Amino acid sequence: MTGFNRELFVNRTILVAGAGKGIGLACAQMAAAHGGNVIAVARTKADLDALAKQYPDNITSWVMDVTSEEFFARVKSLPVLHGLVNNAGLNRIGPMEEQPNENIDAVIDLNIRTLYKISQAAIAPMKRADCAAIVNMSSQMGFVGSPNRTLYCMSKHAVEGVTKAMAVELAEHDIRVNTVAPTFVLTPMTKPMFEDEDFKKFVYDMIPLGRLGKVEDIANSCTFLLSDLASMITGTSIKVDGGWTAR
Ligand SMILES: NC(=O)c1ccc[n+]([C@@H]2O[C@H](COP(=O)([O-])OP(=O)(O)OC[C@H]3O[C@@H](n4cnc5c(N)ncnc54)[C@H](OP(=O)(O)O)[C@@H]3O)[C@@H](O)[C@H]2O)c1
């Protein structure tokens, strides 16, 4: 029997798009801690330097914008790729009636188009691996709606949909594709939201387990889905939501 061990990703190359902070940082740290050769991508060099200092033998830093053609080309030219975490994403909160084009375009560009483009670029190096896995960072908002979050929900529902479609299309290349769908996790993205006491109460009331997610909770599921322990799992999602969507 095999299970989680520190050598889970030895001789595996895993790229984490959006690896400098928050959930992506935890996913990169966990992949490195399990022996992977991790390509960590973000625009802030200082974040990646700190990560590389933690795992000097395992981290390769790419200081790049993951929405750029230059980045897609670099992914495509990798000799081999075993794992991809499409984690970079953003939110623009507000009533649907008031969302400006700029917000709509920004959310669609990063959360949907970029995820598609990175995955598209990853296919060639993943075909050169014996088997490979993509984890798309979704959200509980990929399953439900929530006030002021219709734009974000639209993008994460799209992530759930494209994940199933990719899983079906890429299965013939032994590329598995799944999502991790977190509830609220305290990260630089969500920190300002929790300064609003009413919002904080709303969130805690919605989570049956009564706490926010921790970045480690999300990284654990991501690690599992990237690994061979999930070798029969594709086209689905692990909701790390403390029960939010079960209500
Ligand atoms: N936090 C939550 O409660 C929560 C819940 C459900 C789902 N999620 C999802 O989880 C993912 C990560 O969320 P998070 O809260 O950890 O976000 P975060 O705190 O904003 O961190 C995002 C990371 O991605 C990088 N990034 C963003 N845009 C990039 C770009 N264009 N090019 C390169 N790197 C980029 C950022 O670094 P730079 O800015 O330095 O580039 C940063 O390292 C997102 O897809 C989000 O929708 C989050």
Side-chain angles (χ1 to χ4, degrees):
M1 293 272 273
T2 53
F4 277 110
N5 65 65
R6 291 279 138 186
E7 281 160 23
L8 207 55
F9 296 139
V10 167
N11 295 324
R12 302 275 176 106
T13 299
I14 294 165
L15 187 148
V16 182
K21 298 182 177 78
I23 290 170
L25 172 62
C27 292
Q29 286 169 323
M30 209 172 272
H34 287 81
N37 305 315
V38 179
I39 301 172
V41 193
R43 292 164 300 185
T44 307
K45 184 174 180 302
D47 289 342
L48 298 182
D49 286 349
L51 173 62
K53 208 167 162 190
Q54 251 186 314
Y55 297 96
D57 298 334
N58 298 79
I59 299 288
T60 302
S61 301
W62 291 5
V63 181
M64 297 187 86
D65 187 330
V66 300
T67 65
S68 67
E69 287 297 328
E70 191 194 353
F71 172 64
F72 305 142
R74 195 167 178 190
V75 172
K76 194 171 180 183
S77 68
L78 281 169
V80 69
L81 186 63
H82 302 88
L84 165 66
V85 185
N86 275 317
N87 170 73
L90 57 77
N91 197 352
R92 292 280 184 270
I93 299 155
M96 183 178 176
E97 207 177 353
E98 292 168 19
Q99 285 287 12
N101 285 342
E102 187 205 343
N103 284 356
I104 298 169
D105 293 345
V107 168
I108 289 175
D109 186 41
L110 185 61
N111 295 12
I112 306 177
R113 183 181 190 274
T114 296
L115 179 145
Y116 184 96
K117 289 285 292 178
I118 302 173
S119 307
Q120 186 184 44
I123 294 171
M126 284 190 155
K127 279 159 95 173
R128 293 190 279 272
D130 45 356
C131 58
I134 298 174
V135 174
N136 292 327
M137 200 53 69
S138 173
S139 168
Q140 63 187 10
M141 299 304 175
F143 294 89
V144 294
S146 199
N148 296 324
R149 281 175 168 71
T150 296
L151 179 56
Y152 184 73
C153 289
M154 173 174 73
S155 73
K156 294 301 187 182
H157 278 71
V159 170
E160 291 299 329
V162 78
T163 296
K164 289 179 201 155
M166 283 164 58
V168 170
E169 181 168 345
L170 302 180
E172 65 170 305
H173 306 302
D174 275 328
I175 301 172
R176 296 182 297 101
V177 193
N178 294 288
T179 77
V180 174
T183 187
F184 284 92
V185 179
L186 203 58
T187 67
M189 181 200 269
T190 54
K191 195 163 176 282
M193 302 176 195
F194 286 100
E195 279 154 20
D196 176 341
E197 286 299 324
D198 290 342
F199 177 75
K200 192 168 162 183
K201 182 175 181 327
F202 163 72
V203 168
Y204 276 81
D205 285 351
M206 286 294 287
I207 301 176
L209 283 181
R211 69 167 175 89
L212 301 182
K214 292 182 280 189
V215 290
E216 296 85 346
D217 294 324
I218 317 308
N220 275 323
S221 290
C222 184
T223 300
F224 170 65
L225 287 172
L226 285 175
S227 79
D228 288 346
L229 298 174
S231 64
M232 193 54 181
I233 301 177
T234 197
T236 192
S237 176
I238 298 183
K239 294 177 198 160
V240 188
D241 71 355
W244 181 302
T245 59
R247 281 187 186 279

